[in-house]
Amino acid sequence: MLVAVHDFTEDSEALARAVFAYALDRVRNDPPLDHPRPAAELAAAVGQTVTTAGLGWQAALRCWSEVLAPACLSVDFPRFLSFVPAAPTEASVLFDLVVGASSLYAGSWLEGGGAVFAENQALRWIADLAGLPEEAGGVFVSGGTNGNLSALVAARHAAATRRAGRRPAGGWAVVAADTVHSSVRAAARVMDVDVIVAPTDDRRRLTGAGLAPVLAEAGERVFAVVASAGTTNLGIIDDLASVASVCSHHDAWLHVDGAYGGAALASPRTRPLFAGIEAADSFVVDPHKWLFAPFDCCALLYREPALARAAHTQTAGYLDVLTSGEDWNASDYAIHLSRRARGLPLWFSLATHGTDAYRIAVEATLDVAGAAARLIEAADHVELAHEPWLSVVVFRRRGWDAAQHRAWSDRVLADGLALVVPTVHDGETLLRFCFVNPKTSVDDVALILESLR
Ligand SMILES: *Cc1c(COP(=O)(O)O)cnc(C)c1O
């Protein structure tokens, strides 16, 4: 029966046990890296899985575990070092099963108050790391992309409200360095606003000195400045203090994108790099990247949540019961209404382990990144391209062109050794390690560097 209400059968008990066993095996026993496969191969292997009569759970689960799961890369594999990997804690992953089992609706306080209360304590920890004021608050959204878009929509709404809805001549614009994440340009396209590129300094940082003339020239067109707290490609942290003071002088909203790097606020070793972040009007960090939470989870925080509420609250007769009171409704802080309590796995893991464990885990990955940089410097076949800012290490294989870097990357993936794909920085093809997994060891790095000889 599709929905078993009273008839909890032996079969559904067996299904529950099989799913628990699968989940436990997946989190306890490190999986192989696995391999992508073309759709035609998958079709040949499993055929049509959605049928009128159904396959039965045993066949469906076997199809997943034997064919489809191995066609997904294990992002938490210790030598998966590309893009930004993930390394969720066991506590967070297992609690995700509870979130799924509980049919939680975490958009409103009426329906999901207990879940939102817990999420808000996790958000408060992040707000405190950034030094945001007591009134700061926000919501967990799917990722940095939604977080950046939602923050910019709130910023433009605030600017438009201040100007009584008058659109500036030339149209609205946001200012950022060319190193800003692609999602900021995507948000600007969605919002039909321009991105004005501000120059960077000799370390490729956006600074107040670079920003000031751009803001002076663009005038009232600019509703927000986006600064990066850890660029994806290199981990560059813009000079947030001077950027913040120029923003405040020009009355521009400062949004800080820390989707990857914001996690390093947790370590006193790296915290000074973020000086000035406490002046941000909005801030994002993705716990699914470097704060050991499962996908998908972005913490979006506002200095003045009321400004976000004014931009995002949906109103309709069927919602009046939710929005007419003083309740903290999580859906009011981003572009969404229904929402999964996607901050709960992070909350459960934080509540279980305490925040010290997070600092220690972040520092462990910083240590491995530092050791990787030293190994690269010591070897003669590879060369460090930049001293790492955080846990991203970029380097080149001496004497290789883009095609050779690519061929090596394909080969080590096919061998199941590692995922290390080339990236391009300022026109040059480089190799890039991004460390977020405390299970990645210096030996793992040495093994990969050996394969580059
Ligand atoms: C990953 C990333 C994003 C986008 O986040 P998603 O969670 O992938 O949507 C935005 N900004 C930066 C700096 C990132 O590293």
Side-chain angles (χ1 to χ4, degrees):
M1 202 206 262
L2 185 58
V3 179
V5 183
H6 299 300
D7 52 343
F8 192 72
T9 62
E10 268 176 45
D11 192 49
S12 64
E13 174 84 17
L15 167 57
R17 289 190 188 286
V19 167
F20 288 147
Y22 179 93
L24 200 56
D25 176 64
R26 178 61 181 80
V27 292
R28 285 277 160 85
N29 302 312
D30 285 338
L33 175 58
D34 289 325
H35 304 281
R37 291 177 73 185
E41 256 186 61
L42 294 177
V46 301
Q48 181 62 35
T49 57
V50 176
T51 61
T52 48
L55 305 179
W57 68 260
Q58 290 92 340
L61 190 58
R62 209 177 319 117
C63 165
W64 170 253
S65 56
E66 291 176 8
V67 181
L68 301 179
C72 302
L73 294 189
S74 303
V75 179
D76 53 343
F77 180 74
R79 289 187 300 275
F80 185 120
L81 297 175
S82 285
F83 312 114
V84 182
T89 66
E90 190 173 313
S92 67
V93 170
L94 293 176
F95 199 75
D96 213 15
L97 297 180
V98 174
V99 176
S102 304
S103 294
L104 295 170
Y105 179 90
S108 72
W109 192 269
L110 172 75
E111 294 150 287
V116 174
F117 176 87
E119 288 186 309
N120 285 351
Q121 288 204 341
L123 286 172
R124 187 65 241 171
W125 171 60
I126 294 168
D128 284 339
L129 290 177
L132 292 175
E134 209 43 55
E135 318 75 66
V139 64
F140 288 99
V141 295
S142 60
T145 299
N146 185 327
N148 287 337
L149 175 60
S150 294
L152 291 176
V153 166
R156 181 176 60 182
H157 190 268
T161 305
R162 278 207 307 272
R163 291 167 212 176
R166 194 168 35 84
R167 207 177 116 91
W172 293 110
V174 46
V175 175
D178 65 344
T179 48
V180 81
H181 190 264
S182 53
S183 60
V184 172
R185 285 188 293 273
R189 280 196 301 278
V190 170
M191 296 171 69
D192 193 22
V193 301
D194 290 331
V195 179
I196 300 176
V197 175
T200 51
D201 68 0
D202 55 349
R203 299 176 67 202
R204 297 294 269 119
R205 296 181 308 168
L206 178 66
T207 64
L211 181 62
V214 177
L215 287 189
E217 190 186 329
E220 61 162 22
R221 290 190 64 201
V222 178
F223 65 90
V225 171
V226 180
S228 300
T231 60
T232 313
N233 222 8
L234 257 63
I236 297 165
I237 302 169
D238 289 334
D239 183 16
L240 301 177
S242 69
V243 166
S245 100
V246 169
C247 284
S248 130
H249 182 72
H250 286 267
D251 224 2
W253 178 295
L254 172 59
H255 174 66
V256 176
D257 179 0
Y260 150 66
L265 288 166
S267 167
R269 280 158 46 185
T270 38
R271 179 63 180 81
L273 297 168
F274 298 86
I277 197 170
E278 58 281 356
D281 293 291
S282 53
F283 167 58
V284 297
V285 55
D286 276 353
H288 68 220
K289 284 181 171 169
W290 199 5
L291 284 175
F292 319 112
F295 296 112
D296 48 14
C297 185
C298 166
L300 164 61
L301 282 160
Y302 300 94
R303 163 176 300 276
E304 285 184 57
L307 297 178
R309 230 167 22 237
H312 289 299
T313 301
Q314 297 186 24
T315 55
Y318 40 83
L319 296 174
D320 281 352
V321 62
L322 301 177
T323 52
S324 54
E326 293 293 304
D327 282 345
W328 182 276
N329 293 312
S331 47
D332 292 349
Y333 300 94
I335 299 157
H336 56 196
L337 185 62
S338 295
R339 64 178 291 271
R340 177 178 174 84
R342 57 168 59 81
L344 275 190
L346 171 68
W347 163 78
F348 183 75
S349 183
L350 279 170
T352 298
H353 295 294
T355 58
D356 283 353
Y358 279 72
R359 169 178 48 78
I360 291 165
V362 166
E363 289 181 349
T365 58
L366 287 167
D367 287 343
V368 174
R374 302 292 81 82
L375 278 183
I376 291 165
E377 278 181 331
D380 48 17
H381 64 302
V382 285
E383 181 183 35
L384 201 58
H386 293 273
E387 189 56 36
W389 284 79
L390 294 170
S391 69
V392 171
V393 179
V394 283
F395 62 103
R396 54 182 79 81
R397 164 66 165 82
R398 289 180 203 270
W400 277 8
D401 62 16
Q404 286 168 300
H405 280 103
R406 184 64 205 253
W408 167 84
S409 173
D410 289 347
R411 181 161 49 77
V412 291
L413 170 59
D415 292 347
L417 177 74
L419 186 78
V420 181
V421 300
T423 190
V424 176
H425 173 68
D426 286 344
E428 185 189 4
T429 296
L430 298 168
L431 292 173
R432 173 179 169 279
F433 293 151
C434 181
F435 298 98
V436 300
N437 190 340
K439 285 186 180 165
T440 306
S441 68
V442 181
D443 287 347
D444 285 319
V445 178
L447 201 62
I448 295 170
L449 293 178
E450 247 349 270
S451 76
L452 277 159
R453 282 201 183 275

